[in-house]
Amino acid sequence: MNDADRSPAGNLRPIQEIGKLLGLSPDEIHPHGRHMGKVSLTALDRLKHRPQARYVLVTAINPTPLGEGKTTTSIGLTMGLCRLGHRAIVTLREPSLGPVFGIKGGGTGGGRAQVVPMEQINLHFTGDAHAVSAAHNLLSAFVDNHVFHGNERHIDPERISWPRTSGISDRALRELMLGTGIQGQKGQFVISEASEVMAILALATGRDDLRHRLGRVIVGLTKDGKPVTSGDLNCVGSMAALLNDALLPNVVQTLEGTPAFVHTGPFGNIAHGNCSVLSDAIALRCADYVVTEAGFGSELGAEKFFNIKCRVSGHKPSAAVVVATLRALKLHGTGEGIKSGQPLPSSLTGPNMQALEKGFANLEQHIANVKRYGVPVVVAVNAFSDDSHAELEWVRERAKSAGATDAAVSTHWSDGGKGAEALAHAVIAAASQPSSFSHLYELTWPIKKKIETIAMAMYGAGAVSYDPSAERQIGVVGDLGYGQLPICMAKTPLSLSHDPSLKGRPTGFTLPIKELRLLAGAEFLTAVCSGIQLMPGLPKKPAGERIDVDGKTGTIVGLT
């Protein structure tokens, strides 16, 4: 059955009913059709005296290129909590058109663990991503226009750092010449989910904070090395106007009619990988449990959740879930490659205890990573229909001996919330334990010390090397007074290291940093590892080849 077939519109609750479940008043829900809506920021002030929910993070081991069901687990866990009589809300990032038409397909979950309506959410949704692209590219146009009309701010054309953005994966846009003739300048595009504007939207705590952050965006330097900001170019008001509605969190529902917030979409490998601070802030006042997902593994999205997002929001997690699958653990034990569109080898889908035992080391690192922050860990073993029961139980028991508070086999994809009840019980118990949450590093540490702490503690690296350009950029950032910002690492999600071919739990490798980007508006520094691209490309057989529209009914087909 196609995922779209599991979410017929006739079975969905009107969005006003979802608002009632959240305790929101009718004027705090701005409907976008019957089944989607935005939540007014006035709700946050009205609800501020309510007790806060338990805050549960869902992360994962290093996945196969096909993903290990972190989104379905987040949704299934939330539905399972609701089945046990608790008020629970899942908060997710918005899907990106890049993966939707590229390798992974849609980002709304799957099977019986979805947020719906999946077609609208996966495509244009409420227009937030388009607003981000428009605001970002408006600033690009302002920069070029300023230089063209006399350049009163004395921007050095060779030191313009503000790229352009596009929502579609397109490798041809990674490097290009802007303009023609002798006026031509080198330029580049980043995907919208890597845009600083997307990061700002995700981290903003309100309209005033949004404007403050937009005004701090650095677009380039003058010839004498002084920063030029969007505020200097008088572009902030227009950018804020384009983002005015996009700032409001989106509310939808799961297949079981429970509330879900889906808002903002920074990638986990090249951006900070978490949904908006505002969606979590509202959800935490409307529920007993809020389950939020961070992109990719604990060394990427979860590390950024703990060290970037939690610093901004002030919220402290009560527990964390690490998602694992037998096939991914076996991949880390065999080192085999997987290509999109090709069947998985039998060594990953069939019984293979030797590979499973060897690959378990990857899960051990991720359990240790989360425990490093003082947060109780539950392992969710996401079960596929052909998985060996004995192997599933082996992972569950082994995870507890490796330091997890508990572990549960979950069948939410096939069974919905019922299949996640055991996981929900484990999470409730873990979240009731005392938590001693702390950050991995201090903001006052030197830039290199922060990078090296992440690399060695989270990845297992033995050392960090810096390209000459990265060395220069670190110096410039320090001279400009931005050295006390947190670090956002950009690296492959397919390995604990920077090298996707290094499976399992590699140690002692040297992590190469090729670039350091200053995102003064988002208020973090992006350290780019060798081999990572801020503009992805499409695979040989893009998922978009399967997508079409039924000519008679207008139904979108092939979107999974």
Side-chain angles (χ1 to χ4, degrees):
M1 180 180 287
N2 188 299
D3 284 344
D5 296 332
R6 299 181 189 270
S7 55
N11 292 340
L12 303 188
R13 290 177 168 178
I15 198 61
Q16 290 84 355
E17 286 189 20
I18 300 299
K20 288 182 181 178
L21 291 176
L22 293 167
L24 299 175
S25 62
D27 60 348
E28 289 170 339
I29 291 284
H30 302 170
H32 277 244
R34 283 178 50 80
H35 304 122
M36 305 187 302
K38 282 187 166 289
V39 180
S40 171
L41 299 186
T42 59
L44 191 56
D45 187 61
R46 183 177 67 82
L47 302 173
K48 65 184 178 182
H49 298 297
R50 284 190 184 179
Q52 286 199 11
R54 300 283 175 86
Y55 197 24
V56 180
L57 173 71
V58 176
T59 182
I61 65 173
N62 294 102
T64 70
L66 306 178
E68 304 319 304
K70 187 158 39 57
T71 302
T72 63
T73 300
S74 302
I75 297 166
L77 169 59
T78 305
M79 296 190 301
L81 288 165
C82 289
R83 286 178 62 89
L84 297 181
H86 301 281
R87 296 178 304 152
I89 302 170
V90 64
T91 63
L92 303 170
R93 291 168 297 152
E94 299 181 34
S96 164
L97 294 181
V100 165
F101 293 105
I103 293 178
K104 294 184 70 173
T108 55
R112 298 188 183 280
Q114 293 186 58
V115 288
V116 286
M118 63 91 74
E119 297 94 337
Q120 289 94 323
I121 297 171
N122 275 313
L123 297 178
H124 302 292
F125 201 15
T126 57
D128 295 347
H130 301 315
V132 166
S133 294
H136 182 117
N137 290 329
L138 177 67
L139 181 55
S140 301
F142 264 57
V143 172
D144 289 350
N145 190 59
H146 183 86
V147 173
F148 180 81
H149 286 293
N151 197 5
E152 294 178 1
R153 292 286 177 179
H154 305 292
I155 303 173
D156 184 349
E158 298 296 325
R159 303 182 77 179
I160 293 173
S161 56
W162 188 248
R164 281 163 169 77
T165 192
S166 171
I168 302 294
S169 297
D170 189 348
R171 63 177 53 84
L173 298 179
R174 290 172 179 169
E175 293 184 5
L176 68 166
M177 292 298 296
L178 304 173
T180 58
I182 61 173
Q183 297 299 319
Q185 297 290 333
K186 289 182 179 180
Q188 67 170 166
F189 278 70
V190 300
I191 197 163
S192 299
E193 286 68 27
S195 162
E196 184 174 359
V197 176
M198 181 67 83
I200 287 172
L201 191 69
L203 292 170
T205 58
R207 286 197 173 89
D208 288 342
D209 188 42
L210 176 70
R211 285 187 59 92
H212 166 75
R213 289 174 177 273
L214 290 173
R216 287 169 58 91
V217 168
I218 294 175
V219 300
L221 301 177
T222 63
K223 290 186 182 295
D224 57 356
K226 295 180 180 178
V228 180
T229 68
S230 56
D232 293 331
L233 302 182
N234 297 318
C235 193
V236 177
S238 293
M239 294 174 74
L242 287 170
L243 296 169
N244 193 41
D245 288 338
L247 184 65
L248 308 183
N250 304 305
V251 61
V252 289
Q253 62 192 284
T254 70
L255 277 178
E256 295 184 7
T258 62
F261 284 89
V262 183
H263 191 220
T264 72
F267 279 168
N269 60 329
I270 56 180
H272 75 279
N274 286 268
C275 68
S276 73
V277 166
L278 282 171
S279 63
D280 283 2
I282 295 174
L284 285 165
R285 300 294 184 179
C286 295
D288 304 316
Y289 291 89
V290 170
V291 178
T292 191
E293 174 214 26
F296 295 115
S298 70
E299 90 286 10
L300 280 173
E303 183 270 309
K304 298 166 188 177
F305 170 83
F306 293 133
N307 292 310
I308 297 176
K309 186 177 183 180
C310 288
R311 275 192 164 103
V312 172
S313 69
H315 299 139
K316 296 182 179 181
S318 304
V321 175
V322 177
V323 180
T325 62
L326 296 185
R327 66 183 188 179
L329 291 171
K330 292 171 185 177
L331 174 71
H332 285 290
T334 64
E336 291 190 48
I338 294 178
K339 293 185 179 180
S340 178
Q342 295 184 5
L344 294 174
S346 59
S347 59
L348 304 186
T349 58
N352 190 345
M353 275 302 301
Q354 182 178 1
L356 188 59
E357 290 180 7
K358 185 178 180 182
F360 187 84
N362 186 266
L363 176 55
E364 287 181 313
Q365 176 73 47
H366 290 285
I367 293 172
N369 280 356
V370 177
K371 290 184 69 177
R372 186 76 177 252
Y373 297 92
V375 178
V377 184
V378 173
V379 169
V381 191
N382 181 22
F384 289 74
S385 59
D386 55 356
D387 283 346
S388 160
H389 176 74
E391 290 183 340
L392 290 169
E393 285 300 309
W394 181 89
V395 173
R396 191 178 72 82
E397 291 297 329
R398 182 72 179 273
K400 290 189 287 185
S401 66
T405 300
D406 202 352
V409 175
S410 189
T411 60
H412 48 271
W413 193 94
S414 57
D415 300 322
K418 182 178 180 181
E421 286 186 9
L423 176 60
H425 280 296
V427 167
I428 291 168
S432 65
Q433 295 183 1
S435 176
S436 55
F437 172 69
S438 63
H439 302 295
L440 182 64
Y441 55 81
E442 297 296 330
L443 295 180
T444 55
W445 290 1
I447 293 171
K448 284 187 177 182
K449 183 178 179 180
K450 288 182 279 193
I451 292 173
E452 289 157 13
T453 298
I454 295 170
M456 295 175 188
M458 297 288 104
Y459 308 167
V464 177
S465 65
Y466 302 88
D467 284 5
S469 58
E471 290 277 12
R472 290 193 297 272
Q473 290 155 353
I474 289 171
V476 169
V477 167
D479 291 343
L480 292 176
Y482 291 98
Q484 296 190 2
L485 295 179
I487 304 297
C488 178
M489 299 293 288
K491 79 166 191 71
T492 180
L494 301 180
S495 170
L496 283 161
S497 75
H498 63 286
D499 182 351
S501 69
L502 292 180
K503 302 301 184 185
R505 192 179 188 177
T507 59
F509 57 89
T510 297
L511 184 79
I513 303 297
K514 71 172 186 179
E515 182 181 2
L516 187 82
R517 292 192 168 204
L518 168 58
L519 284 76
E523 297 183 349
F524 59 70
L525 307 173
T526 296
V528 183
C529 298
S530 295
I532 199 72
Q533 292 286 350
L534 302 187
M535 169 54 80
L538 292 171
K540 186 173 182 180
K541 297 287 289 184
E545 291 184 3
R546 305 190 299 267
I547 299 172
D548 207 339
V549 179
D550 187 300
K552 293 183 179 180
T553 65
T555 301
I556 296 171
V557 296
L559 182 60
T560 57

